Amino acid sequence: MLRGVIRERTRRRGFRLLANELARRIARPNLRNWVVSSAPLILTDGGLALSEPKTVGAQGSTKVLAASSLGSCLVFVSSAVVTVALAAIGRDMRLSPLDLQWVMNAELLPLAALTLVAGALGDRFGQKRIFLAGIALYGLGAAAIGFAPSFAPLIVGRFLLGLGGALILPNGLSVLGQAFPADKKARAVGIWSAAAAVASGVAPAIAGAILDRGSWRTTFLMLLPAVAGALAVGAVWIPKDSLTSHTRVDVGGAVFSTVGLGGLGAGLTSLTNGSGLNRWVLVALIVGLGGLACLIVTEWRLGDNAMLPPSLFASRSVVGANLFTALLYGPFTIIRGAQLPTLVAGLAFIPLQVLITIVSPLAGMLCRRFGRRLPLFAGGTVVALGCAMALRVGSNATYWADIFPPIVLLSLGMSLVIAPLTTLVLTSVESDRAGTASGVNSAVARAGSLFAIALLGGVLQHGGPQLFSGFHMAMAVAAIACVLAAFAVFIIEPGPHVDFIPRDYPVRRP
């Protein structure tokens, strides 16, 4: 009995020591890693599956759910891993702050620009085929990063990861949506979201443990077995493709959106890293604006056949929801930056990832009671308060007193926003346009992240006395953007909240 008491006290003392060490390491002033939560994007992407018509005869397949979840998890895992590995990559390759921003943006660019056209490719050539092609491209990108000898191959690998992700997400979610009838679809999407949230929460912890004992290259090479598994289960468990060869692929829209976002991202990134308004910055900005102008003209000419149908933006609610998304989701990428060593960087935000995933569906009750605007306004305001509270973080900051409270506010604010925003987007258009509207909103969220890193990423790469001044500047800008997002809610048409109810619009398979 005495032995048991001693063992129990030793165990409790060990837990206390571990907790104290964790808190002590978290509080170290070392802005080396960005910790980016994927939960908001995960729940936003789920709208794509909810809006997808089911296939005739579909009864709900757990195998399809597993295959879609495993493939889609890869997309969120890679973005989580690179934020933890970013500092090690920079040290090993001796990269500048500008280079490090492109390590982040090289994956976000194709995700923001090509997700919509990737859905059309799936309709044209088959969702299963494009989904598996995306996984293969993702694996090629992970291998290229793991063996990259220099900066250029590293960026190519990151771009391939983003290109693979752009193919994976819309087609994996379409496969999932078609496999389940309306009464089972919401539960399937919930399981998919939970799996993605867990994967993106656990991956940084694993990557951090690897980085503390080995190379950053291993963190990307460890993705290859998961890629092989996703390819295998996808090929075997996903049913035969449903081909609709008449579907138009908006190649012009894809090219011009990539050129526009890439040009603006390159120009703004260079500008914020101290380059000034030189010739290169001017050329990049002009090319970016020209690409976006050509995109608008192309989409206007194509009309309803465009990947961004102009008629979609005739609704005040759609415009307001996407403006809100761009202003709120962009800064959210930056405000998750924290002063954490590698292993703790992976562990510290897992509870908050879970908080967003669990609490956000409860926001639907607020919407049904107070209407569509108030929860979005409250969420944007709470996130702005979290940014403002982060201004207290300085060289003497402690985790529980100075860092944890703003993070809780950020998580609670986003929890109030995510589910109502997704529902608003799906219900602001005709039912046959819900999938397009959801895809546009998801792309806007990633474009916001792209420009946030371009505008604010440079200030977070400094060291010494400039480190906290840069961090405070980023937080101040993020707070202003969140306030603007809160007021963008008033563009949305007033009225009661309407729940999105998935309906069955049968799609026959050949």
Side-chain angles (χ1 to χ4, degrees):
M1 181 177 177
L2 181 59
R3 239 180 241 177
V5 172
I6 294 174
R7 189 183 299 115
E8 178 65 19
R9 287 182 178 177
T10 303
R11 183 180 64 84
R12 290 180 181 177
R13 182 172 178 272
F15 280 139
R16 284 197 300 271
L17 290 174
L18 179 61
N20 291 336
E21 175 64 13
L22 184 65
R24 184 182 65 81
R25 295 184 68 188
I26 285 175
R28 287 179 185 171
N30 179 22
L31 254 172
R32 296 178 298 165
N33 299 292
W34 294 355
V35 183
V36 183
S37 173
S38 300
L41 291 174
I42 290 169
L43 295 173
T44 301
D45 291 330
L48 290 168
L50 287 174
S51 62
E52 186 68 29
K54 86 174 183 70
T55 302
V56 169
Q59 300 298 320
S61 170
T62 54
K63 290 183 178 180
V64 173
L65 174 58
S68 174
S69 299
L70 182 56
S72 300
C73 282
L74 294 172
V75 182
F76 300 105
V77 164
S78 66
S79 61
V81 168
V82 76
T83 57
V84 176
L86 191 65
I89 294 172
R91 288 193 301 269
D92 185 38
M93 291 193 168
R94 299 181 180 178
L95 302 181
S96 68
L98 175 63
D99 295 335
L100 289 174
Q101 282 177 262
W102 274 111
V103 173
M104 297 287 292
N105 280 344
E107 182 180 8
L108 281 172
L109 176 59
L111 275 171
L114 302 177
T115 297
L116 289 174
V117 76
L121 286 172
D123 293 336
R124 177 69 173 81
F125 301 105
Q127 281 92 5
K128 176 180 179 178
R129 186 177 290 119
I130 300 300
F131 178 67
L132 295 178
I135 295 174
L137 275 175
Y138 181 97
L140 184 62
I145 295 171
F147 295 107
S150 61
F151 176 67
L154 174 68
I155 294 300
V156 171
R158 290 285 296 158
F159 187 87
L160 286 175
L161 281 183
L163 182 59
L167 298 178
I168 290 170
L169 277 177
N171 292 288
L173 287 165
S174 292
V175 166
L176 176 63
Q178 292 177 12
F180 288 84
D183 59 337
K184 297 181 180 178
K185 193 171 296 185
R187 181 174 179 272
V189 173
I191 295 173
W192 178 92
S193 300
V198 170
S200 62
V202 172
I206 297 174
I210 292 174
L211 281 170
D212 280 347
R213 293 169 176 80
S215 170
W216 62 267
R217 298 178 185 275
T218 309
T219 63
F220 289 95
L221 295 177
M222 74 176 184
L223 298 174
L224 296 181
V227 169
L231 277 173
V233 299
V236 175
W237 287 351
I238 296 177
K240 184 181 176 182
D241 276 325
S242 174
L243 301 179
T244 53
S245 58
H246 63 277
T247 302
R248 182 187 178 97
V249 178
D250 186 1
V251 177
V255 172
F256 288 131
S257 63
T258 304
V259 171
L261 292 175
L264 285 179
L268 294 173
T269 299
S270 297
L271 191 62
T272 58
N273 274 276
S275 298
L277 199 60
N278 56 34
R279 183 180 302 176
W280 152 249
V281 172
L282 282 173
V283 169
L285 293 176
I286 291 171
V287 168
L289 291 173
L292 293 182
C294 291
L295 173 65
I296 293 172
V297 173
T298 301
E299 304 305 271
W300 186 267
R301 287 178 176 175
L302 290 177
D304 287 342
N305 292 320
M307 72 176 191
L308 293 170
S311 60
L312 192 69
F313 298 94
S315 167
R316 281 176 51 191
S317 295
V318 172
V319 173
N322 283 291
L323 180 60
F324 180 90
T325 299
L327 290 169
L328 191 69
Y329 277 60
F332 192 76
T333 301
I334 297 297
I335 59 187
R336 298 301 294 233
Q339 307 171 14
L340 308 176
T342 51
L343 176 58
V344 182
L347 293 171
F349 290 97
I350 290 179
L352 301 177
Q353 186 99 3
V354 174
L355 178 66
I356 290 178
T357 306
I358 293 175
V359 173
S360 59
L362 303 179
M365 294 187 297
L366 293 175
C367 291
R368 284 185 284 273
R369 181 170 178 82
F370 298 106
R372 55 173 64 183
R373 283 177 169 178
L374 184 60
L376 296 178
F377 180 83
T381 303
V382 171
V383 174
L385 289 174
C387 296
M389 186 173 287
L391 295 174
R392 298 172 52 198
V393 176
S395 58
N396 297 321
T398 59
Y399 178 73
W400 296 112
D402 301 302
I403 299 176
F404 185 73
I407 290 175
V408 169
L409 286 177
L410 300 177
S411 299
L412 288 176
M414 293 302 294
S415 299
L416 290 172
V417 162
I418 297 166
L421 182 61
T422 302
T423 302
L424 174 66
V425 170
L426 292 173
T427 56
S428 296
V429 295
E430 297 297 325
S431 57
D432 60 342
R433 307 295 293 278
T436 303
S438 180
V440 169
N441 191 248
S442 180
V444 166
R446 289 182 167 86
S449 298
L450 178 74
F451 288 123
I453 292 174
L455 286 168
L456 301 175
V459 302
L460 295 179
Q461 297 296 339
H462 299 296
Q466 294 180 316
L467 186 147
F468 286 104
S469 63
F471 179 74
H472 293 157
M473 177 182 174
M475 294 303 99
V477 173
I480 293 171
C482 293
V483 170
L484 294 175
F487 283 102
V489 167
F490 294 102
I491 298 175
I492 297 169
E493 296 175 356
H497 173 77
V498 179
D499 286 325
F500 178 75
I501 302 174
R503 295 180 173 87
D504 291 341
Y505 300 94
V507 176
R508 296 186 179 275
R509 294 196 184 278

